[in-house]
Amino acid sequence: MSADLTHIDVWLFDLDNTLYPAESGFMGDVERRMTEFVVKVTGLPRDEAFALQKKYLAEHGLTLGGLMKHHGVAPEEFHALFHDLSLDVLAHDQPLLDALERLPGKRYIFTNADGFHAERVLAHLKLDHLFDEVFHVHSFGFAPKPDPLGFTRMIEAHGLDPVATAFFEDSERNLKPAHDLGMTTVLVGAHAPASAAPFVTHRTEKLAPFLAGARLKETA
């Protein structure tokens, strides 16, 4: 059955592995470059640097959080690592564009990446004109998802009503604070159908058909 989203007029989307499929492999390129940077900063062998990278991700919500706290890494230096990555593996998805266009109300990006990366990816996907604003890691003061503070800052910045908001994410744990605030949560990706988390409202392997089939609020 199609999802009932007739109460939604704010559409909040994660970016990476949500507005394009994880199967593209793009985030693998990001991760490899990140590991190389951790090796450079710490002097650790690659396998130990990768383990530390994942430890910081689990503890801080971002590898960057651990690098800032324990190694004095500047956010700008870290984010610049990814600004010249090839986007060739990311394909324009016309059905997704069409599905996004039919959504009534406001559309936002909510990403733990920086603004330059978000705008670059959205432009490559030809989706940049569809979003009212990008709320990125600098916008919420480095309180990354799933930190509830980042959600609170995003809601306050845009005057959002959580009950009228749907949040789409590929990371299950990032949906819990959204659910706790009253948002409708949608887990996206091949792993989604297997999720049994009580804070996930809807699950879909592919975003475009889910949005295309959803029941939406009627507009005048």
Side-chain angles (χ1 to χ4, degrees), residues 16-17 20-38 46 50 53-54 78-90 117 120-121:
D16 293 305
N17 287 352
Y20 60 81
E23 294 77 15
S24 71
F26 177 70
M27 287 304 293
D29 294 337
V30 170
E31 187 169 75
R32 282 187 288 275
R33 193 166 288 193
M34 194 181 304
T35 304
E36 291 168 2
F37 183 74
V38 177
R46 188 177 182 85
F50 180 77
Q53 172 184 329
K54 294 302 182 182
F78 180 81
H79 288 134
L81 296 171
F82 315 110
H83 289 172
D84 64 346
L85 277 173
S86 172
L87 303 178
D88 290 347
V89 296
L90 303 181
H117 170 81
R120 183 170 178 253
V121 170

Side-chain angles (χ1 to χ4, degrees), residues 5-10 155 160-166 178-184 217:
L5 300 179
T6 54
H7 60 297
I8 301 298
D9 56 22
V10 176
I155 289 168
L160 305 186
D161 175 6
V163 176
T165 300
H179 175 270
D180 291 346
L181 287 164
M183 294 183 188
T184 296
K217 179 182 292 187

Side-chain angles (χ1 to χ4, degrees), residues 37-38 40-42 56 63-79 81 142:
F37 183 74
V38 177
K40 175 184 174 183
V41 167
T42 65
Y56 286 163
T63 298
L64 173 60
L67 292 173
M68 291 170 63
K69 181 176 181 179
H70 301 292
H71 307 277
V73 170
E76 295 77 12
E77 178 187 8
F78 180 81
H79 288 134
L81 296 171
F142 298 95

Side-chain angles (χ1 to χ4, degrees), residues 91-168:
H92 173 61
D93 185 345
Q94 187 63 42
L96 177 59
L97 187 152
D98 294 340
L100 289 168
E101 279 187 329
R102 71 184 286 262
L103 301 179
K106 298 284 189 177
R107 311 180 198 101
Y108 299 98
I109 296 295
F110 185 26
T111 176
N112 282 349
D114 74 325
F116 184 93
H117 170 81
E119 297 289 357
R120 183 170 178 253
V121 170
L122 287 171
H124 181 82
L125 295 173
K126 297 181 174 61
L127 300 176
D128 49 327
H129 65 291
L130 295 176
F131 293 93
D132 294 273
E133 193 165 338
V134 173
F135 206 68
H136 53 80
V137 70
H138 291 266
S139 306
F140 45 82
F142 298 95
K145 299 174 289 183
D147 189 335
L149 180 59
F151 284 81
T152 299
R153 287 173 173 169
M154 181 266 302
I155 289 168
E156 291 176 348
H158 297 292
L160 305 186
D161 175 6
V163 176
T165 300
F167 181 38
F168 298 78

